[in-house]
Amino acid sequence: HGHQGPVEKAFDYYQKAIELAPFEAVYYHNLAVTVYLHRKAARAHFKTDEDGVFDKSLALYRKALKLQPNNFELATDYAQSYYGIKPPRIAAGIEAWQEALKIARDDFEREGVEIHLARFEINAGAFKAARERLTRIKDERYKGLVERVTTSLNRKEAAVRSVSESGLPASEPS
């Protein structure tokens, strides 16, 4: 139902699955994803606003992570959800990515998480930290991505520098 509809049934069925098997992380994870992806339907179904939908999805992810604290895929799904939240919750996103970094199983996963952390640091205005983090990425498979993120870093850093040199107040990084 989460893929083909009606999505409201997916909400109900996942909630029933959680009721029947409250220690199965996969049900919390699947409901978190479904709520996140189907925000409009979730707003109506759970009678809340968009922030409430994000809060519900994030709480479900956290419950799943309590049940499976070393599940890297789950941790990265949770952390990636912070990309879609408006207004951005940058500090919470950084914290989620830091937790994913702790359970990364190899250098490839660790470097992938480092790139995400750099993105969030850029949005937080922590340009030096992001630049240092990006220089530690060695896996050639990330070369193009590191170049794109570095270009974004350079662009945002230049914009902040330009605003500060103009004497105008800087707007919050996006």
Side-chain angles (χ1 to χ4, degrees):
H1 291 285
H3 294 286
Q4 298 176 2
V7 72
E8 295 78 11
K9 285 192 179 209
F11 299 144
D12 293 336
Y13 292 155
Y14 282 130
Q15 286 181 303
K16 184 63 174 179
I18 289 168
E19 182 183 312
L20 294 171
F23 301 106
E24 285 294 331
V26 69
Y27 299 139
Y28 293 97
H29 185 184
N30 288 345
L31 181 55
V33 170
T34 304
V35 167
Y36 183 88
L37 291 177
H38 300 281
R39 291 187 290 277
K40 185 176 180 180
R43 281 195 317 259
H45 187 80
F46 296 108
K47 296 174 179 48
T48 189
D49 59 10
E50 184 132 340
D51 278 344
V53 169
F54 286 130
D55 290 341
K56 180 166 189 62
S57 178
L58 294 171
L60 289 161
Y61 274 119
R62 285 190 295 271
K63 178 65 177 176
L65 281 165
K66 280 186 181 176
L67 295 169
Q68 289 189 339
N70 295 315
N71 183 326
F72 181 74
E73 288 78 14
L74 173 58
T76 58
D77 278 0
Y78 170 62
Q80 284 183 17
S81 68
Y82 281 95
Y83 281 114
I85 299 175
K86 304 291 181 215
R89 299 179 187 180
I90 294 171
I94 289 172
E95 183 179 325
W97 282 112
Q98 288 170 335
E99 290 302 311
L101 185 60
K102 290 177 187 175
I103 61 172
R105 298 166 292 207
D106 57 33
D107 288 342
F108 184 75
E109 287 180 352
R110 276 186 283 285
E111 289 187 5
V113 171
E114 295 278 5
I115 293 169
H116 288 287
L117 277 163
R119 286 176 164 166
F120 272 84
E121 288 168 341
I122 291 166
N123 287 332
F127 303 131
K128 182 179 178 187
R131 190 172 304 286
E132 288 172 7
R133 193 175 297 281
L134 290 170
T135 63
R136 294 193 299 258
I137 308 301
K138 303 299 178 203
D139 194 301
E140 283 296 311
R141 293 172 283 184
Y142 287 127
K143 184 179 179 185
L145 181 56
V146 168
E147 288 171 359
R148 288 191 304 275
V149 175
T150 301
T151 297
S152 174
L153 167 60
N154 292 337
R155 188 176 62 252
K156 289 184 180 190
E157 198 172 31
V160 167
R161 193 171 34 255
S162 172
V163 168
S164 89
E165 289 170 0
S166 73
L168 297 172
S171 63
E172 187 172 309
S174 60

